Every structure is written in C-alpha cells, then in structure tokens.
Amino acid sequence: MKIKLSDLKVLFSEEQIQNRIKELASEMNKFYSGEEVYVICVLKGAVMFATDLVKYLDMPLKMEFIRLSSYGSSTTTSGKVNAVDIKLPDLNEKNVLIVEDIVDTGLTAKFLLDFIACNFKTKSTKFASLLDKKIFRQTDIEPDYMGFHIDDKFVIGYGLDYDGYFRNLKYIAYADKSLLE
Ligand code: 5GP
C-alpha cells in the first residue's frame, strides 16, 4: 500500500455525508410514500452508503447485494464491467432502488440498469449514487438521487477503497494524484 492515512485530505466529513444521506432519504420517502422497495446495494463500494441510507427509509424494504467490478487494483476503470455476483430475486412489478457509491464513466450503472431492464418489468427503477464524477462519463447516465458532485479526484473512504484499503473511513478523502501513480 503506497498511500498512508496521513496522505489523505478530507473532501466530505462524516457530518456532511450523514446530513446529505438524511436529505436523500427524505426525498425517497416522499417519492415511494410507503410503497415497498427492493434496495440493491452494489458491493463493495456502496456498502456504507446503502446501510446508512436504509436506516432513514420508512417504507417496507428488502435489501439485495450484488457484486460488479471494473477497477481491479488500479485507479482507472478497465472499461469492462464484470458481473462477479448478480443473483437477484424476481423484481417484476417491484420498486427497485439501485444504490451505488460513485458514478464515474457510468458503465457500471448502465450495465446494471440494462440488466434489470432486460430481465424484469419493474414498477419503477431508480438509481442513487453518493458521488457523481462527470468528467470521465462515457454514457448518458444521470443518477435519480445524488449526494455530491466531485471533480477529477480519486476518492477513498466510506466504502470506497484504494487497493482494498480505507473502506472503513467515516469520511471521504482524496490523495494527491502523484501518490496514486
Ligand atoms: P464507472 O463504471 O462509473 O466508471 O465506475 C464505477 C465504479 O468505479 C464505482 O462503483 C467505484 O467502485 C469505482 N470508482 C470510480 N471512481 C472511483 C474513485 O474515485 N475512487 C474509488 N475508490 N473508486 C472509484
């Protein structure tokens, strides 16, 4: 591991993240108004966001966890999405809320939205992402719910990793690009 905790600069504090999640949850509570929802958490990065978000949702919900990967151990996307584990229940006629950590190129989100559209006739499909990094976008994906915009930074913490590390941070941070190369 090249990066140390002391190299990281805080981008969004624990308090900022939690406050924003509460705001997003309140928008979702209004939209679903008590209807049942299937929350699909995209592992591993979205685990913190999804588990904090559901604490503030007040409709009946079920959580599903799927695993996709596009990064490996580098800090740039491979451009290919691998469905590592995408077993899902029958989502026909269900409200589906996909929960992601970050939309970067948008390829992961597109893969998943296409997968759901091809396999199920859902009642609704919404896509929530804690972070939105538009600069490298290769698709026309726009999250329905979005926590924060970020510019050209590789972010770490609160579920997001650097080579598998730092997912446990309560905040989101970044390191200077020179340290990532
Ligand atoms: P996309 O398919 O939109 O390019 O990328 C989606 C996935 O790439 C995210 O779910 C996340 O796992 C990873 N990713 C994209 N940008 C970053 C970043 O700045 N930091 C980290 N740790 N992962 C990222």
Side-chain angles (χ1 to χ4, degrees):
M1 180 175 49
K2 281 180 284 178
I3 296 181
K4 300 188 293 298
L5 199 55
S6 55
D7 296 323
L8 299 181
K9 296 173 185 156
V10 177
L11 191 59
F12 301 111
S13 67
E14 180 183 8
E15 192 186 2
Q16 281 175 296
I17 296 169
Q18 294 301 323
N19 287 341
R20 188 70 186 114
I21 289 176
K22 286 179 204 164
E23 287 173 359
L24 293 175
S26 127
E27 281 180 47
M28 292 168 184
N29 285 332
K30 266 190 216 134
F31 175 77
Y32 291 109
S33 61
E35 282 190 23
E36 186 169 308
V37 177
Y38 276 72
V39 176
I40 300 181
C41 167
V42 185
L43 294 173
K44 299 174 187 172
V47 67
M48 299 279 189
F49 176 37
T51 52
D52 278 345
L53 178 71
V54 293
K55 293 173 195 161
Y56 302 108
L57 295 180
D58 57 19
M59 73 292 276
L61 64 81
K62 290 187 180 178
M63 291 184 83
E64 298 294 330
F65 297 85
I66 62 169
R67 210 166 144 202
L68 305 175
S69 79
S70 64
Y71 259 62
S73 64
S74 83
T75 56
T76 51
T77 180
S78 66
K80 283 198 195 109
V81 180
N82 296 314
V84 182
D85 176 5
I86 196 168
K87 283 185 220 87
L88 286 168
D90 180 2
L91 298 174
N92 288 305
E93 302 304 321
K94 309 289 186 199
N95 292 306
V96 173
L97 175 64
I98 297 168
V99 179
E100 256 281 32
D101 50 357
I102 182 167
V103 196
D104 181 5
T105 61
L107 292 171
T108 306
K110 184 165 171 24
F111 174 91
L112 192 47
L113 287 163
D114 287 350
F115 179 87
I116 288 181
C118 285
N119 287 283
F120 308 103
K121 279 210 173 336
T122 63
K123 181 166 186 191
S124 70
T125 304
K126 295 281 180 191
F127 175 61
S129 181
L130 181 61
L131 301 173
D132 189 358
K133 180 159 61 173
K134 285 199 191 304
I135 185 158
F136 304 119
R137 194 64 47 85
Q138 293 175 27
T139 61
D140 55 5
I141 296 289
E142 285 292 335
D144 300 292
Y145 300 97
M146 191 275 301
F148 305 99
H149 282 294
I150 62 165
D151 57 15
D152 177 14
K153 286 187 170 58
F154 185 78
V155 287
I156 298 163
Y158 195 69
L160 291 141
D161 73 311
Y162 170 72
D163 203 13
Y165 294 96
F166 300 119
R167 292 191 199 275
N168 54 315
L169 302 182
K170 295 188 177 88
Y171 52 89
I172 293 173
Y174 69 99
D176 281 337
K177 287 223 151 167
S178 56
L179 294 171
L180 297 168
E181 277 144 20

